[in-house]
Amino acid sequence: MKAAQINEYGTDVVMINNNAGMPEISPGKILVKVHAAGVNPFDWKIREGYVNQTRKFSFPITIGGDFAGTVVETGEGVVQYQKGDSVYGSGLFLSGGSGTFAQFVSTGENLLAMKPEKASYQEAAALPLVGVSALDVLSKKMKLQKGQKILIHGGSGGIGSMAIQIAKHMGAYVATTARRDRALYLEDLGADEVIDYKGEIFEEKLQEYDAVFDTVGTETYRRSFQVLRKGGIIVSMLEQPDKELMDRYQVNSLAQSTRITSDSLRELSRLFDNGVIRVSIDRVFPLDEAAQALEYQRNGTVNGKVVIALLQEG
């Protein structure tokens, strides 16, 4: 089969292997023909070796975590899925999958769910990591309530755009930071207030907020404590809790580490099929251009999601 792989860590290391070995099927695993794969910042971080700090992995590594496709074969003990089912989920090698930038992926049935009925394969492939992250942070970490105020940093990105829609559905007042030219797009998603992160100082405009969802990190994370009321909460996708700032502002801070499960994917499917959330696909690349897709994602100007298409829609 064809797969986008790396044999070393770096920036210009992705190669297309036209003779990659087919993923093995073991008990509890499912072999899926990949129609489309979602591209996330975590993918280029894997390419560059950011996850190679504590564990050693054998090369070649097939890149990619999110995907949507059709079941080809099921391993011993799999009872929820059968050949021909349209599914989506995670096939990340760090979670025991075989990697999704490939024509076929093997992954555990606990990392899958049936594809949302109203989603195309490309839309479904763009949902897992960003959708589950937003859902987990807002509903479980923050326990966001109707009428509360939340600031979402990086609103035009994959996670931010999902979080805006879900937070609005939960009845919150939603402010977000983004580039000025993204304002109409974000207001269409449900943002009540869009702050130009280049031309405006968000901590001077916003006060007494109940929650901050940080998808940007660094100084944006540290400045965000000024926005919160006492007893508020900030959850970051990138930063570890800063105890000094927590004590100074008397707020709570958590770091988010997303774990995709079948239950979370099923909830995501329900939200999509009920029209609560939609996904914006910024650009679609063929598998042969997987390296370019990673670079496009890395440059920080993506409006929504980047997807790799392995089969034509329809």
PDB file of all heavy atoms in Angstrom, residues 158-173:
ATOM      1  N   GLY A 158      -8.557  24.733  14.273  1.00  0.00           N
ATOM      2  CA  GLY A 158      -9.433  23.569  14.335  1.00  0.00           C
ATOM      3  C   GLY A 158     -10.142  23.414  15.669  1.00  0.00           C
ATOM      4  O   GLY A 158     -11.373  23.267  15.730  1.00  0.00           O
ATOM      5  N   ILE A 159      -9.388  23.463  16.775  1.00  0.00           N
ATOM      6  CA  ILE A 159      -9.987  23.296  18.096  1.00  0.00           C
ATOM      7  C   ILE A 159     -10.819  24.519  18.454  1.00  0.00           C
ATOM      8  O   ILE A 159     -11.939  24.409  18.962  1.00  0.00           O
ATOM      9  CB  ILE A 159      -8.901  23.043  19.161  1.00  0.00           C
ATOM     10  CG1 ILE A 159      -8.211  21.699  18.899  1.00  0.00           C
ATOM     11  CG2 ILE A 159      -9.505  23.053  20.563  1.00  0.00           C
ATOM     12  CD1 ILE A 159      -7.056  21.402  19.837  1.00  0.00           C
ATOM     13  N   GLY A 160     -10.280  25.704  18.186  1.00  0.00           N
ATOM     14  CA  GLY A 160     -10.989  26.926  18.522  1.00  0.00           C
ATOM     15  C   GLY A 160     -12.335  27.031  17.838  1.00  0.00           C
ATOM     16  O   GLY A 160     -13.341  27.422  18.455  1.00  0.00           O
ATOM     17  N   SER A 161     -12.388  26.683  16.559  1.00  0.00           N
ATOM     18  CA  SER A 161     -13.651  26.785  15.816  1.00  0.00           C
ATOM     19  C   SER A 161     -14.687  25.791  16.336  1.00  0.00           C
ATOM     20  O   SER A 161     -15.886  26.083  16.356  1.00  0.00           O
ATOM     21  CB  SER A 161     -13.407  26.578  14.320  1.00  0.00           C
ATOM     22  OG  SER A 161     -12.840  25.306  14.062  1.00  0.00           O
ATOM     23  N   MET A 162     -14.242  24.614  16.774  1.00  0.00           N
ATOM     24  CA  MET A 162     -15.155  23.661  17.393  1.00  0.00           C
ATOM     25  C   MET A 162     -15.649  24.170  18.748  1.00  0.00           C
ATOM     26  O   MET A 162     -16.834  24.079  19.079  1.00  0.00           O
ATOM     27  CB  MET A 162     -14.441  22.315  17.601  1.00  0.00           C
ATOM     28  CG  MET A 162     -14.298  21.461  16.379  1.00  0.00           C
ATOM     29  SD  MET A 162     -15.880  20.779  15.832  1.00  0.00           S
ATOM     30  CE  MET A 162     -15.939  21.507  14.205  1.00  0.00           C
ATOM     31  N   ALA A 163     -14.714  24.729  19.525  1.00  0.00           N
ATOM     32  CA  ALA A 163     -15.052  25.190  20.871  1.00  0.00           C
ATOM     33  C   ALA A 163     -16.068  26.327  20.831  1.00  0.00           C
ATOM     34  O   ALA A 163     -16.970  26.395  21.677  1.00  0.00           O
ATOM     35  CB  ALA A 163     -13.785  25.626  21.603  1.00  0.00           C
ATOM     36  N   ILE A 164     -15.931  27.232  19.869  1.00  0.00           N
ATOM     37  CA  ILE A 164     -16.895  28.333  19.748  1.00  0.00           C
ATOM     38  C   ILE A 164     -18.304  27.785  19.561  1.00  0.00           C
ATOM     39  O   ILE A 164     -19.252  28.201  20.234  1.00  0.00           O
ATOM     40  CB  ILE A 164     -16.516  29.245  18.568  1.00  0.00           C
ATOM     41  CG1 ILE A 164     -15.264  30.060  18.899  1.00  0.00           C
ATOM     42  CG2 ILE A 164     -17.675  30.190  18.214  1.00  0.00           C
ATOM     43  CD1 ILE A 164     -14.699  30.807  17.715  1.00  0.00           C
ATOM     44  N   GLN A 165     -18.439  26.836  18.649  1.00  0.00           N
ATOM     45  CA  GLN A 165     -19.766  26.297  18.345  1.00  0.00           C
ATOM     46  C   GLN A 165     -20.368  25.548  19.531  1.00  0.00           C
ATOM     47  O   GLN A 165     -21.553  25.695  19.843  1.00  0.00           O
ATOM     48  CB  GLN A 165     -19.672  25.369  17.133  1.00  0.00           C
ATOM     49  CG  GLN A 165     -19.260  26.076  15.856  1.00  0.00           C
ATOM     50  CD  GLN A 165     -19.036  25.094  14.724  1.00  0.00           C
ATOM     51  OE1 GLN A 165     -19.970  24.661  14.063  1.00  0.00           O
ATOM     52  NE2 GLN A 165     -17.787  24.735  14.481  1.00  0.00           N
ATOM     53  N   ILE A 166     -19.545  24.738  20.199  1.00  0.00           N
ATOM     54  CA  ILE A 166     -20.046  23.952  21.327  1.00  0.00           C
ATOM     55  C   ILE A 166     -20.379  24.851  22.512  1.00  0.00           C
ATOM     56  O   ILE A 166     -21.411  24.681  23.169  1.00  0.00           O
ATOM     57  CB  ILE A 166     -19.030  22.865  21.715  1.00  0.00           C
ATOM     58  CG1 ILE A 166     -18.880  21.856  20.565  1.00  0.00           C
ATOM     59  CG2 ILE A 166     -19.465  22.141  22.988  1.00  0.00           C
ATOM     60  CD1 ILE A 166     -17.760  20.849  20.763  1.00  0.00           C
ATOM     61  N   ALA A 167     -19.513  25.836  22.788  1.00  0.00           N
ATOM     62  CA  ALA A 167     -19.761  26.754  23.904  1.00  0.00           C
ATOM     63  C   ALA A 167     -21.042  27.549  23.680  1.00  0.00           C
ATOM     64  O   ALA A 167     -21.831  27.773  24.611  1.00  0.00           O
ATOM     65  CB  ALA A 167     -18.568  27.688  24.084  1.00  0.00           C
ATOM     66  N   LYS A 168     -21.256  27.989  22.442  1.00  0.00           N
ATOM     67  CA  LYS A 168     -22.479  28.728  22.134  1.00  0.00           C
ATOM     68  C   LYS A 168     -23.705  27.839  22.304  1.00  0.00           C
ATOM     69  O   LYS A 168     -24.739  28.266  22.827  1.00  0.00           O
ATOM     70  CB  LYS A 168     -22.404  29.276  20.700  1.00  0.00           C
ATOM     71  CG  LYS A 168     -23.413  30.370  20.418  1.00  0.00           C
ATOM     72  CD  LYS A 168     -23.152  31.574  21.310  1.00  0.00           C
ATOM     73  CE  LYS A 168     -24.228  32.621  21.126  1.00  0.00           C
ATOM     74  NZ  LYS A 168     -24.066  33.731  22.100  1.00  0.00           N
ATOM     75  N   HIS A 169     -23.597  26.592  21.890  1.00  0.00           N
ATOM     76  CA  HIS A 169     -24.678  25.628  22.057  1.00  0.00           C
ATOM     77  C   HIS A 169     -24.999  25.412  23.534  1.00  0.00           C
ATOM     78  O   HIS A 169     -26.166  25.178  23.896  1.00  0.00           O
ATOM     79  CB  HIS A 169     -24.296  24.305  21.399  1.00  0.00           C
ATOM     80  CG  HIS A 169     -25.287  23.207  21.612  1.00  0.00           C
ATOM     81  ND1 HIS A 169     -26.553  23.219  21.086  1.00  0.00           N
ATOM     82  CD2 HIS A 169     -25.181  22.041  22.319  1.00  0.00           C
ATOM     83  CE1 HIS A 169     -27.200  22.122  21.438  1.00  0.00           C
ATOM     84  NE2 HIS A 169     -26.398  21.402  22.189  1.00  0.00           N
ATOM     85  N   MET A 170     -23.978  25.508  24.380  1.00  0.00           N
ATOM     86  CA  MET A 170     -24.160  25.324  25.822  1.00  0.00           C
ATOM     87  C   MET A 170     -24.733  26.563  26.493  1.00  0.00           C
ATOM     88  O   MET A 170     -24.996  26.561  27.696  1.00  0.00           O
ATOM     89  CB  MET A 170     -22.829  24.929  26.464  1.00  0.00           C
ATOM     90  CG  MET A 170     -22.299  23.586  25.975  1.00  0.00           C
ATOM     91  SD  MET A 170     -20.613  23.232  26.547  1.00  0.00           S
ATOM     92  CE  MET A 170     -20.919  22.769  28.254  1.00  0.00           C
ATOM     93  N   GLY A 171     -24.896  27.644  25.717  1.00  0.00           N
ATOM     94  CA  GLY A 171     -25.531  28.846  26.252  1.00  0.00           C
ATOM     95  C   GLY A 171     -24.587  29.887  26.805  1.00  0.00           C
ATOM     96  O   GLY A 171     -25.012  30.810  27.511  1.00  0.00           O
ATOM     97  N   ALA A 172     -23.296  29.777  26.489  1.00  0.00           N
ATOM     98  CA  ALA A 172     -22.313  30.720  27.012  1.00  0.00           C
ATOM     99  C   ALA A 172     -22.192  31.953  26.123  1.00  0.00           C
ATOM    100  O   ALA A 172     -22.554  31.932  24.939  1.00  0.00           O
ATOM    101  CB  ALA A 172     -20.948  30.037  27.130  1.00  0.00           C
ATOM    102  N   TYR A 173     -21.666  33.042  26.705  1.00  0.00           N
ATOM    103  CA  TYR A 173     -21.248  34.210  25.938  1.00  0.00           C
ATOM    104  C   TYR A 173     -19.813  33.950  25.518  1.00  0.00           C
ATOM    105  O   TYR A 173     -18.940  33.666  26.357  1.00  0.00           O
ATOM    106  CB  TYR A 173     -21.330  35.470  26.792  1.00  0.00           C
ATOM    107  CG  TYR A 173     -20.882  36.719  26.059  1.00  0.00           C
ATOM    108  CD1 TYR A 173     -21.794  37.501  25.355  1.00  0.00           C
ATOM    109  CD2 TYR A 173     -19.540  37.116  26.073  1.00  0.00           C
ATOM    110  CE1 TYR A 173     -21.387  38.655  24.678  1.00  0.00           C
ATOM    111  CE2 TYR A 173     -19.133  38.262  25.398  1.00  0.00           C
ATOM    112  CZ  TYR A 173     -20.051  39.020  24.712  1.00  0.00           C
ATOM    113  OH  TYR A 173     -19.647  40.147  24.030  1.00  0.00           O
TER     114      TYR A 173
END
